[in-house]
Amino acid sequence: MSLAVLLGVFIIGLIIGLPVAITLGLSSMCYLLMQGMPLVIIPQKMFAGMDVFVLLCIPGFILAGNLMNGGGITPRIVRFANAMVGWMRGGLGLTNVAGSMLFGGISGTAVADAASIGGMMIPGMKRAGYPAPFSAAVTAASSTVGPIIPPSMPMIIVGALSGISVGKMFIAGALPGMMMGLAMMVTTYIIAVRNDFPHQPWQGVGELGKSFLGAFWALAMTALIIGGLLSGLATPTETAVIASLYAFVVGAFVYRDLPIRAVPGILIDSAITAAAILALVGFANVFGWILVSERIPTMISDGVLAITDNKYVVILLINLVLLIVGMFMETIAALIILFVPLLTLAQNVGIDPIHFAVFAVLNLMIGLTTPPVGICLFICANIAKSPLGPVIKALVPYLITNIIILFLVSYVPFFSTWLPSLME
């Protein structure tokens, strides 16, 4: 009965639109009251969930991304991407995807990508003659690359939950992220050719060189992060702190687009964002502790293994579950609730934990562009001032492309395990 109340309150909370963190906390409180357990368990388990050293990466990378945004990074990245691919058919669409791939190596979040790149690219694409639904769709789809290419907020959460090296998780996402981005560029080009979308003239080697030099210090931040992790000279948490200092110096003294008076506001905004994520982590840890105490992870694993112990069928089932969950639940909450049970199942059939973690995160990233809870979809449709229906229709080819990449990564472990193996 208590478990039914837990799940019932949770589902009702999601249906009526309560914030996920509040829904998790409220359902957990109802469970404890039904069980006659003291409510002091909630703050205890919340603190235990947040008291993980690697979670310090989250405020660090959020601050670094916000400082680089405030320091003029987005227009420089877009200019460089445009110089590279803008001359091709559908050039601004290709620029959009390429910009998201480059931006993803700095922000680590899909929402920041959708808002920052979308705010610049969607109005520009509409002025150039691209349909508003297509402009929103390509921006929403490409924004999901951000949390795959390092640094990545979901990968940090996964590391905190499972004990898997966050450094290895970051590196493991690099190749799948590039595959995802390149596949979306191919899709964009095919759509552009079929619809005779516009393109720009080749701007010349000079513009390519100038735009690269303009974006160099921003792009070097990704190299700094990956280099520090691969070399072993810095932990992910130390890398986040270094990245924040680097972003401040570049924005304020190299690009000179970051006013010192704007820094306190950026610090406050970053703190609020990080606090919201950590509150979600805390409440989700309470909810997850209840599920573990009710042996839900073991029941899920045993139930699936009673049907099949074929690794490839289990991978298919996990993908289907996560794709459906991603349509209805926020990424971090879904990871905290489902990752450990599904990791147990995956390991029982011989799936490498890093391999599993990568395709699990990739699954939930696709959910950011699917209704009814596709936050990137809503952001981009709002910027484009387009109804959701046409945007969803324009998004279908990208969803198909991303699902193809998802299954390729899921069934070929090499793509997610090769780079981490170089760190051993």
Side-chain angles (χ1 to χ4, degrees), residues 50-382:
M50 294 185 288
D51 187 24
V52 180
F53 180 71
V54 74
L55 290 179
L56 287 174
C57 291
I58 293 177
F61 283 123
I62 288 173
L63 177 58
N66 287 343
L67 286 170
M68 291 297 273
N69 277 338
I73 178 178
T74 305
R76 287 177 169 84
I77 285 180
V78 169
R79 179 185 174 189
F80 176 51
N82 193 44
M84 285 194 296
V85 297
W87 54 273
M88 301 173 69
R89 178 67 61 184
L92 285 183
L94 296 172
T95 297
N96 199 321
V97 180
S100 290
M101 292 175 69
L102 297 173
F103 189 84
I106 295 165
S107 72
T109 62
V111 173
D113 189 332
S116 184
I117 297 290
M120 172 173 284
M121 289 300 305
I122 292 175
M125 291 178 70
K126 289 172 65 178
R127 286 194 299 269
Y130 291 81
F134 171 78
S135 303
V138 70
T139 306
S142 63
S143 69
T144 59
V145 174
I148 307 297
I149 295 175
S152 164
M153 295 303 136
M155 299 291 193
I156 296 171
I157 299 297
V158 164
L161 289 171
S162 63
I164 300 172
S165 164
V166 173
K168 287 186 176 181
M169 286 298 310
F170 278 3
I171 300 303
L175 188 54
M178 287 188 285
M179 290 168 58
M180 196 173 171
L182 292 173
M184 282 191 280
M185 292 183 76
V186 171
T187 302
T188 301
Y189 181 76
I190 292 171
I191 293 172
V193 170
R194 287 182 175 177
N195 292 276
D196 196 28
F197 287 161
H199 64 97
Q200 307 167 75
W202 165 243
Q203 299 180 54
V205 176
E207 169 60 17
L208 181 62
K210 288 179 182 177
S211 63
F212 171 74
L213 291 175
F216 173 79
W217 292 106
L219 300 176
M221 185 169 166
T222 303
L224 175 72
I225 293 168
I226 296 176
L229 295 172
L230 278 176
S231 66
L233 294 176
T235 66
T237 302
E238 291 165 347
T239 303
V241 175
I242 294 169
S244 297
L245 292 173
Y246 176 90
F248 171 71
V249 171
V250 169
F253 303 110
V254 178
Y255 289 156
R256 298 182 180 178
D257 285 338
L258 177 63
I260 300 299
R261 65 179 180 276
V263 173
I266 291 174
L267 287 169
I268 292 170
D269 289 343
S270 301
I272 292 171
T273 303
I277 293 174
L278 290 174
L280 178 57
V281 170
F283 280 120
N285 190 64
V286 181
F287 192 89
W289 171 77
I290 293 171
L291 294 182
V292 170
S293 67
E294 291 282 353
R295 301 186 70 253
I296 299 300
T298 304
M299 291 168 60
I300 292 173
S301 180
D302 291 347
V304 173
L305 292 177
I307 300 171
T308 178
D309 60 357
N310 183 292
K311 177 167 74 172
Y312 302 104
V313 176
V314 170
I315 288 175
L316 176 62
L317 292 174
I318 290 173
N319 278 327
L320 292 176
V321 167
L322 289 176
L323 283 172
I324 293 170
V325 168
M327 295 173 65
F328 297 95
M329 191 178 295
E330 196 274 339
T331 302
I332 293 176
L335 280 173
I336 294 174
I337 294 169
L338 292 175
F339 184 81
V340 173
L342 294 179
L343 175 62
T344 302
L345 172 61
Q347 288 180 304
N348 283 339
V349 295
I351 300 172
D352 182 89
I354 291 179
H355 173 216
F356 167 73
V358 171
F359 75 74
V361 171
L362 209 161
N363 258 295
L364 294 172
M365 290 305 101
I366 293 174
L368 292 172
T369 59
T370 54
V373 193
I375 183 66
C376 292
L377 171 66
F378 298 142
I379 289 172
C380 294
N382 184 56

Side-chain angles (χ1 to χ4, degrees), residues 375-402:
I375 183 66
C376 292
L377 171 66
F378 298 142
I379 289 172
C380 294
N382 184 56
I383 294 173
K385 296 180 174 60
S386 173
L388 274 180
V391 176
I392 293 171
K393 183 179 179 181
L395 193 62
V396 169
Y398 293 100
L399 291 175
I400 294 171
T401 298
N402 287 343

